[in-house]
Amino acid sequence: MMQKSRSSLVNDAYRRLKQEIRSNRLPPGFHGTEPEMAERLGMSRTPLREALVLLEADGLVEMKPRRGIYILPILPQDMKEIYEVLTAIEPEAVAVLAARKLSEAELKPLIDATARMEQALDDDDLEAWANADDEFHKELLILHGNKRFLSIASLLFDQAHRARVITLRMREKPYRSTAEHKTVVEHIIKGEIEEARNVYREHRERAGAELLAILAKYKLQQL
Amino acid sequence: MMQKSRSSLVNDAYRRLKQEIRSNRLPPGFHGTEPEMAERLGMSRTPLREALVLLEADGLVEMKPRRGIYILPILPQDMKEIYEVLTAIEPEAVAVLAARKLSEAELKPLIDATARMEQALDDDDLEAWANADDEFHKELLILHGNKRFLSIASLLFDQAHRARVITLRMREKPYRSTAEHKTVVEHIIKGEIEEARNVYREHRERAGAELLAILAKYKLQQL
DNA sequence: TTTTATATTAATGTATACATTAAAGTATTT
DNA sequence: AAATACTTTAATGTATACATTAATATAAAA
């Protein structure tokens, strides 16, 4: 899922396609065929297909027999599911970190991420904010150390990325969200397990509800 | 991850290899090459490789460039991680079911599974018990409806399968586990959300701790 | 005999070839 | 013009071919 090498061309195709899907250059609903995609990537169908098989397992594309490759949209139902999983996993991770009584030095990645979130707010740079937010969530699970937590969350973040980017501009500025992240870090530092867990869980639940409300309000049935 | 078709040969290879890994016919540490595995499956390397790429993403095999295919062992650390994820996800699912106040008819799959667990205990048939247990956990997540919960849990169950089969014979008969499953169903029926969640969470935590204790006791450093 | 250099083998990573067949297009009939 | 049958096209699923190169075996040198 996230090893260093693999044969290069397969890896190249996987990374490039994933990036193009994330950035919406290959938008949901996009349809292609193997020969044309292989040509575009400058390789034969063999490594492309191996990459596509992986992207399909990641839930990003669908290979319809005899009909070609489709970039899958994110539906509100998908976002609901994704937030449910994150709500189950991340508060747990936070509680474990709090129980571990980590030093501020060890928590530096999280503290830095919150600082960058604040800076981004000051700069009114939503994209920077979103990147810092991603960073926070990733570092949190790296600190926890359960590789499966991390790979599951990474997969879900990849799936949700487009929807998050788009809705970021439709909601109020994430002051509250930023503050909540800081509060969570405080609780972790103080070793306040249940407080950390609860703040984070509420953060997740509210963030998910907000996002679904936006999708409903703007009738965004797929992204 | 679990669609109906895909080209048959790829799908055949994927299913057959997964089954052979589960059943320990391809034991951890097993080493093969693509030509010999393709020959054994009666197909060319092309579909085999696509299947292997998926099995690698599932964490069951590793394709080492130039060194061949290895069946990965399960380490105690893996079991720890797997149980952590299940402990995060399943109690959440149980709580949702309880909140939904399902009828006994709707809960039939769970009730049937517990009945089969009891029957298996009476018959002293550990394998039947393990199958009923698997069934319970799968039906639970199907009832919940979050496809991501189900696919994550399925992946983890696949990874943990060998270890569970082996340790099943090293622990006491699962009377307590069976009773706990029944209790959880009771709480779901009565709509007792927190009780359902807590019983299940404790069940998971105890089951995980027991399993790790067995691995330590018998010095099973990989399975 | 040990070490180093060279040759051989064989597995991977990738490209290409090809049979099958769904879909699109064309012709034929009404 | 509409419906049907036929033809063509082209994409997929799979097999095969081939260049590269790590690993092993063999030979030469110390």
Side-chain angles (χ1 to χ4, degrees):
Chain A
M1 220 133 215
M2 113 192 32
Q3 60 270 327
K4 54 234 75 167
S5 62
R6 165 85 40 260
S7 66
S8 221
L9 281 195
V10 174
N11 216 349
D12 286 358
Y14 180 74
R15 284 188 201 291
R16 285 181 58 184
L17 290 174
K18 192 152 151 182
Q19 179 49 33
E20 291 182 336
I21 293 168
R22 279 179 74 86
S23 65
N24 232 19
R25 285 213 301 140
L26 287 181
F30 173 91
H31 169 263
T33 65
E34 292 177 15
E36 85 196 24
M37 292 179 84
E39 155 109 65
R40 202 165 56 80
L41 294 174
M43 63 180 66
S44 75
R45 287 172 54 221
T46 310
L48 169 65
R49 275 184 65 95
E50 292 183 15
L52 286 174
V53 159
L54 284 173
L55 290 167
E56 185 169 47
D58 286 348
L60 296 177
V61 314
E62 182 174 5
M63 299 170 78
K64 285 204 184 179
R66 219 87 26 212
R67 319 219 64 193
I69 292 99
Y70 291 90
I71 306 300
L72 292 177
I74 306 296
L75 311 179
Q77 174 65 18
D78 291 310
M79 290 308 289
K80 183 161 180 288
E81 292 194 359
I82 289 167
Y83 272 92
E84 273 179 4
V85 178
L86 293 176
T87 302
I89 284 177
E90 293 188 326
E92 197 58 33
V94 162
V96 168
L97 292 195
R100 220 183 273 161
K101 283 253 187 185
L102 294 171
S103 69
E104 292 203 23
E106 290 168 303
L107 289 172
K108 188 163 186 299
L110 297 188
I111 294 167
D112 287 356
T114 57
R116 292 208 287 128
M117 288 166 85
E118 287 186 312
Q119 184 61 49
L121 277 183
D122 283 352
D123 300 347
D124 207 16
D125 183 345
L126 280 177
E127 198 170 324
W129 186 88
N131 288 336
D133 184 51
D134 275 0
E135 179 88 1
F136 184 95
H137 293 275
K138 200 182 102 197
E139 289 297 339
L140 182 70
L141 295 177
I142 289 175
L143 278 174
H144 180 281
N146 184 324
K147 290 191 303 286
R148 284 160 173 91
F149 274 175
L150 182 60
S151 75
I152 291 167
S154 299
L155 185 70
L156 299 175
F157 275 118
D158 283 340
Q159 292 174 357
H161 183 79
R162 283 193 312 256
R164 293 182 68 231
V165 168
I166 289 168
T167 54
L168 196 59
R169 279 160 185 79
M170 298 173 168
R171 56 188 256 213
E172 295 176 55
K173 296 236 186 75
Y175 291 110
R176 179 160 170 185
S177 196
T178 305
E180 284 170 340
H181 283 83
K182 284 191 72 171
T183 306
V184 168
V185 174
E186 294 298 322
H187 285 310
I188 293 175
I189 289 174
K190 291 187 194 150
E192 295 163 351
I193 302 175
E194 288 311 315
E195 290 86 344
R197 190 207 305 272
N198 290 335
V199 169
Y200 205 87
R201 163 174 278 275
E202 280 161 32
H203 163 64
R204 263 289 167 234
E205 283 174 348
R206 193 182 48 71
E210 259 183 41
L211 196 141
L212 289 176
I214 289 173
L215 298 186
K217 180 176 171 189
Y218 293 96
K219 300 204 184 355
L220 298 171
Q221 277 150 349
Q222 63 168 63
L223 310 159
Chain B
M1 226 133 211
M2 112 195 36
Q3 60 270 324
K4 55 231 74 169
S5 60
R6 166 83 43 260
S7 67
S8 220
L9 281 195
V10 175
N11 217 351
D12 286 359
Y14 180 74
R15 286 188 200 290
R16 285 180 57 184
L17 289 175
K18 193 152 150 180
Q19 179 50 33
E20 291 182 339
I21 294 168
R22 279 179 72 87
S23 66
N24 232 18
R25 286 213 302 140
L26 287 181
F30 173 90
H31 169 264
T33 66
E34 292 177 14
E36 82 195 24
M37 291 180 85
E39 156 109 65
R40 202 165 57 79
L41 294 174
M43 63 180 66
S44 75
R45 286 173 53 220
T46 309
L48 169 65
R49 275 184 65 95
E50 292 183 15
L52 285 174
V53 159
L54 284 172
L55 289 168
E56 184 169 47
D58 286 349
L60 296 177
V61 313
E62 183 174 6
M63 300 169 78
K64 285 203 184 178
R66 227 56 61 193
R67 319 220 63 194
I69 291 99
Y70 291 90
I71 306 299
L72 292 178
I74 306 296
L75 311 179
Q77 174 65 20
D78 292 310
M79 291 308 290
K80 183 161 179 287
E81 292 193 0
I82 289 167
Y83 272 92
E84 273 179 5
V85 178
L86 293 176
T87 301
I89 283 177
E90 292 188 326
E92 197 59 32
V94 163
V96 168
L97 293 194
R100 220 184 271 161
K101 282 256 191 186
L102 294 171
S103 68
E104 292 203 24
E106 290 168 302
L107 289 171
K108 189 163 184 303
L110 296 189
I111 294 167
D112 287 356
T114 56
R116 292 208 287 127
M117 290 166 86
E118 287 187 313
Q119 183 62 50
L121 276 185
D122 283 352
D123 300 348
D124 206 17
D125 183 344
L126 280 178
E127 197 170 324
W129 185 88
N131 288 336
D133 184 51
D134 275 359
E135 179 88 1
F136 184 96
H137 293 275
K138 201 181 101 196
E139 290 297 338
L140 183 71
L141 295 177
I142 288 175
L143 277 175
H144 180 281
N146 185 324
K147 291 192 301 288
R148 285 163 173 86
F149 274 176
L150 183 60
S151 74
I152 291 167
S154 299
L155 185 70
L156 298 176
F157 275 118
D158 283 341
Q159 292 174 359
H161 183 79
R162 283 192 313 255
R164 294 182 66 231
V165 168
I166 290 169
T167 53
L168 195 58
R169 279 161 185 78
M170 299 175 170
R171 55 189 256 214
E172 293 176 58
K173 295 237 187 74
Y175 291 110
R176 179 160 170 185
S177 196
T178 305
E180 284 170 340
H181 284 83
K182 284 191 74 172
T183 307
V184 167
V185 173
E186 294 298 321
H187 286 309
I188 293 174
I189 289 174
K190 291 188 193 149
E192 295 163 352
I193 303 174
E194 287 312 315
E195 290 86 344
R197 190 206 304 272
N198 290 335
V199 168
Y200 204 87
R201 163 175 278 277
E202 280 161 32
H203 164 63
R204 264 288 167 235
E205 284 174 348
R206 193 182 46 73
E210 259 182 41
L211 196 140
L212 288 176
I214 289 172
L215 299 186
K217 179 177 172 190
Y218 293 97
K219 300 204 181 357
L220 298 170
Q221 277 151 350
Q222 64 169 60
L223 309 160

